[in-house]
Amino acid sequence: MTRIPILRIGDVLLVTIQVELEDHIATQLLEDLGEKLVATGARGVLIDISGLDIVDSFIGRMISMIASTSRVLDAQTVLVGMQPAVAITLVELGLTLPGVRTALDVDRGMDLLDRLLEHERRGRVLRARGR
C-alpha cells in the first residue's frame, strides 16, 4: 500500500503529496498524520499538494478533515502548492476548508506557519503572566 511520507522539521510536520491521491491513500494519511501529531507533539502541519492536478469531493473533504484533526490535536495547518484547477474544483464543489490557511509554495507556507506558531507562543506567555 502506498503511504504518504510525513517528515518532521522542528515543530512542523511536512506532508508532500506527489502521487495520485486515491481515497484509501487519503484515509491512511489522515490516520498516519493524527498518530504522528500525537507522537511528536508538532504544532504545525504543512501540506504540499503541488503534485495534485485534480481533486474530487472526497479528497476535498479529506483535506478539510486533516485540518480539523490537526486543530483538535493543537496544530495549525497550511496548505501550499494548490493548482488553479484544484482551487476551481473546490469552489465549484462548494467545499470550504475551515481552519486551513493557504500559501503559494512551501517557503511561504513555512513563513506563515512560523508567524502563526510565534503568535500562539506569545499568547500563551501573556496568558501565563495573567495579561
Side-chain angles (χ1 to χ4, degrees):
M1 172 192 275
T2 301
R3 289 184 115 129
I4 305 291
I6 301 170
L7 305 174
R8 182 176 183 183
I9 303 171
D11 253 1
V12 174
L13 296 180
L14 173 63
V15 179
T16 302
I17 301 171
Q18 298 296 322
V19 297
E20 185 174 333
L21 196 54
E22 297 174 11
D23 293 357
H24 70 280
I25 297 172
T27 304
Q28 185 66 52
L29 175 59
L30 175 62
E31 185 177 320
D32 291 348
L33 187 59
E35 290 174 2
K36 192 84 168 190
L37 279 168
V38 169
T40 63
R43 306 295 315 276
V45 176
L46 184 74
I47 303 172
D48 176 11
I49 61 168
S50 60
L52 294 180
D53 294 327
I54 190 167
V55 296
D56 59 18
S57 61
F58 180 79
I59 298 302
R61 282 194 310 273
M62 289 306 293
I63 291 170
S64 180
M65 287 179 62
I66 288 170
S68 296
T69 301
S70 298
R71 191 71 225 142
V72 168
L73 294 173
D74 199 24
Q76 301 276 347
T77 300
V78 174
L79 191 65
V80 302
M82 187 179 303
Q83 302 294 326
V86 171
I88 291 167
T89 301
L90 291 175
V91 170
E92 286 176 349
L93 292 171
L95 292 173
T96 58
L97 301 174
V100 177
R101 298 194 186 232
T102 58
L104 289 179
D105 55 37
V106 171
D107 285 339
R108 292 178 185 183
M110 287 298 285
D111 287 344
L112 177 58
L113 267 175
D114 285 344
R115 287 193 309 266
L116 291 170
L117 297 178
E118 181 59 29
H119 180 75
E120 278 189 3
R121 280 185 208 107
R122 287 183 184 171
R124 288 182 179 161
V125 168
L126 290 175
R127 283 190 298 276
R129 292 180 182 166
R131 296 182 186 173

